[in-house]
Amino acid sequence: MNTQSIQARRSVRTYSGEAISEDILSKIEIFLERNDNPFGVPITFQVIDARKHKVSSPVILGADIYVAGKYKKSKNAELAFGYEFEKFVLYAASLGLGTVWLAATFDRKAFENAVFLKEDEVMPAVTPVGYAAEKPSLRESLMRKGLKADERLPFETLFFSNDFSQALKAEEANIWRSPLEMVRLAPSATNKQPWRVVVEERKVHFFEKKTKGYARESTGDIQKVDLGIAMCHFEIAAAESGLIGKFIQINPELALEEDIEYIATYELEV
């Protein structure tokens, strides 16, 4: 997984129907078992045969395999889920497989039954896994257009220098430019891009810009899942740039608007 895989990866809703070999499925299962996150929160993944378990999504065509994940309700669980699930999505892309994050447009009850979801567990999202069709369906094309899926907010809207009073320009981001650009490319629920980031010389603080209606009992706070995705992208790009650091949670106590919540900080170790 690298920045090239982040840049190349696209959501796929229309699949060719070509079967995934047992060898590739084995690689997927091994990866999912070894997958981890910076918060130490256990995430359980399951590969699901759509026909056997009778699961489906009205926006997906031609996929017979899905991957679903779940966690026990706990602190940082949504962040951990987003981080790990995106690592898998990027790994699948490296195998030539298509995926798409689904948090709402699928038969939730059928998937919850397939993963034996317990009362104290949450299953935020699932993804089909398969080989992309040569051309997307008309429905997929219309969905991407409606969601403005390929559009991203300007760099200066998402990223700030030292506090929220000063927007950060891309050309002024220095060592953080590539990691921040990869954050911009992260997928998010209905493309809301809820991450806001404050950059210091050796620390990068992540915040969630909340939108009403994205925190539910069945999914948890899906925008925190989005933050986990963004943090995954950031750490991959930081490592590729030769930066060595880790995520911590020490609130910098910046002045915040009511809809902004502190999430975590990436701190350089060297």
Side-chain angles (χ1 to χ4, degrees):
M1 293 170 287
N2 51 33
T3 55
Q4 186 176 356
S5 62
I6 292 172
Q7 292 168 315
R9 187 257 169 189
R10 293 289 184 272
S11 296
V12 176
R13 296 176 177 84
T14 311
Y15 295 83
S16 67
E18 179 184 349
I20 302 174
S21 70
E22 290 298 323
D23 179 58
I24 295 296
L25 286 174
S26 177
K27 288 181 178 180
I28 287 172
E29 290 175 346
I30 290 171
F31 181 88
L32 292 172
E33 288 176 3
R34 296 176 178 175
N35 205 356
D36 59 8
N37 64 80
F39 306 100
V41 177
I43 308 294
T44 302
F45 293 102
Q46 184 172 328
V47 178
I48 300 172
D49 183 314
R51 296 181 181 181
K52 178 180 177 180
H53 293 278
K54 298 181 180 179
V55 299
S56 63
S57 165
V59 300
I60 302 301
L61 295 174
D64 291 327
I65 298 294
Y66 285 79
V67 169
K70 64 178 182 177
Y71 60 76
K72 288 189 176 182
K73 298 175 184 177
S74 62
K75 180 182 178 181
N76 294 324
E78 293 103 329
L79 299 174
F81 181 90
Y83 186 99
E84 281 201 33
F85 208 57
E86 183 66 3
K87 279 177 66 178
F88 165 68
V89 162
L90 295 173
Y91 176 71
S94 75
L95 297 176
L97 297 168
T99 58
V100 58
W101 279 81
L102 298 177
T105 50
F106 62 92
D107 185 343
R108 176 165 288 278
K109 190 63 179 177
F111 275 94
E112 289 178 350
N113 289 337
V115 301
F116 303 101
L117 194 75
K118 299 176 183 177
E119 287 188 7
D120 62 343
E121 294 178 328
V122 177
M123 184 190 69
V126 306
T127 179
V129 182
Y131 298 100
E134 289 188 11
K135 293 183 179 180
S137 68
L138 177 60
R139 176 186 290 178
E140 178 171 2
S141 298
L142 291 173
M143 285 186 67
R144 290 191 64 83
K145 185 177 180 180
L147 291 171
K148 299 180 178 179
D150 296 317
E151 296 183 15
R152 292 295 184 269
L153 293 170
F155 198 95
E156 294 85 351
T157 299
L158 299 172
F159 309 127
F160 302 84
S161 179
N162 295 312
D163 58 35
F164 281 100
S165 68
Q166 183 176 341
L168 180 66
K169 296 180 180 179
E171 59 269 22
E172 298 172 349
N174 300 319
I175 62 172
W176 302 116
R177 181 165 182 174
S178 176
L180 293 176
E181 289 286 8
M182 295 307 105
V183 168
R184 284 187 72 228
L185 294 180
S188 58
T190 64
N191 202 25
K192 287 292 185 182
Q193 304 162 62
W195 38 82
R196 298 295 183 270
V197 180
V198 175
V199 176
E200 297 180 6
E201 184 178 356
R202 298 185 59 80
K203 294 181 181 180
V204 178
H205 307 291
F206 288 76
F207 297 83
E208 174 190 359
K209 183 174 176 60
K210 294 179 175 292
T211 302
K212 290 183 179 179
Y214 284 76
R216 301 173 182 172
E217 187 69 20
S218 60
T219 62
D221 183 346
I222 205 67
Q223 292 193 313
K224 280 188 171 60
V225 174
D226 293 340
L227 262 294
I229 298 171
M231 291 164 68
C232 174
H233 281 205
F234 182 92
E235 193 163 52
I236 288 171
E240 189 175 288
S241 298
L243 302 175
I244 300 174
K246 64 179 179 180
F247 283 108
I248 61 174
Q249 288 180 309
I250 301 177
N251 196 326
E253 303 295 345
L254 302 180
L256 305 176
E257 296 180 2
E258 287 187 4
D259 62 346
I260 302 288
E261 178 186 347
Y262 170 72
I263 298 298
T265 296
Y266 183 87
E267 182 179 41
L268 284 178
E269 294 182 326
V270 179

